Amino acid sequence: MIITVVWYYILDAVICVATFFIVQKLYKKLPLINWEKTLQTITSKKIRKCIERGYLVLLIFFFLLCVGEIVIPSMKDLPLVVSGKYIEDTGTIFKVTNDTIYIRGNERKEIVIGERSTKGFQEGDFVLVHYYPNMERGFVYQIEECE
């Protein structure tokens, strides 16, 4: 679990560095693509501009996707990561896929634990969950029900 959280913060740093270099190139009005090394057969400046604008649009889309899926959730959960605490809840598993467990918790309506080995868990199991709510990462423990 801690490896996944560290991976999120490494990706945050990589995204920040990449953004810095792209903004620096745009500020200095340097081309985003080094035309001397790539696509040497394209001699038209209009086509190069179109390719560069398309490349910039793809970079912006990728950046926004990364920010929405990686940076914002990891920053929201930073206080929990720093304090070493998890949110704890109990609930019943209502769906299991290859790498994700969906739990109907007592305190929250739905808890999603992603990128997790789901071996041994089945729908209807009563479980204890320790998780980070925004990153959707955590631990699921089987609880023996007393009859």
Side-chain angles (χ1 to χ4, degrees):
M1 165 76 164
I2 195 70
I3 293 171
T4 304
V5 173
V6 169
W7 179 244
Y8 263 72
Y9 292 109
I10 289 171
L11 288 176
D12 288 352
V14 168
I15 290 169
C16 289
V17 169
T19 303
F20 173 76
F21 283 118
I22 291 170
V23 169
Q24 183 182 17
K25 277 191 162 196
L26 291 174
Y27 182 73
K28 291 182 179 179
K29 296 185 180 181
L30 297 172
L32 294 173
I33 300 171
N34 186 352
W35 292 107
E36 294 173 2
K37 293 183 179 179
T38 58
L39 304 174
Q40 294 176 355
T41 58
I42 298 176
T43 56
S44 171
K45 289 186 179 185
K46 285 184 180 181
I47 293 175
R48 285 184 179 185
K49 269 291 196 217
C50 288
I51 291 173
E52 219 169 89
R53 286 183 183 153
Y55 181 68
L56 184 60
V57 167
L58 286 174
L59 281 175
I60 291 170
F61 176 75
F62 179 73
F63 174 76
L64 292 175
L65 182 69
C66 288
V67 166
E69 291 294 319
I70 297 171
V71 177
I72 293 173
S74 62
M75 289 300 129
K76 284 182 177 179
D77 286 339
L78 187 60
L80 293 173
V81 172
V82 170
S83 67
K85 297 178 182 177
Y86 302 104
I87 293 180
E88 185 176 299
D89 199 359
T90 56
T92 306
I93 296 175
F94 69 91
K95 184 179 176 185
V96 178
T97 62
N98 289 338
D99 62 351
T100 306
I101 299 174
Y102 299 89
I103 302 160
R104 189 159 286 117
N106 293 333
E107 294 180 20
R108 286 183 45 179
K109 290 184 178 180
E110 183 178 314
I111 301 167
V112 179
I113 304 296
E115 290 187 20
R116 168 105 175 105
S117 174
T118 58
K119 292 180 182 176
F121 295 104
Q122 299 173 352
E123 292 179 14
D125 287 348
F126 189 66
V127 293
L128 170 68
V129 185
H130 293 181
Y131 64 98
Y132 294 123
N134 297 301
M135 288 190 279
E136 296 182 351
R137 301 293 184 261
F139 297 105
V140 179
Y141 303 100
Q142 189 87 26
I143 296 178
E144 299 286 332
E145 290 191 40
C146 299
E147 295 182 21

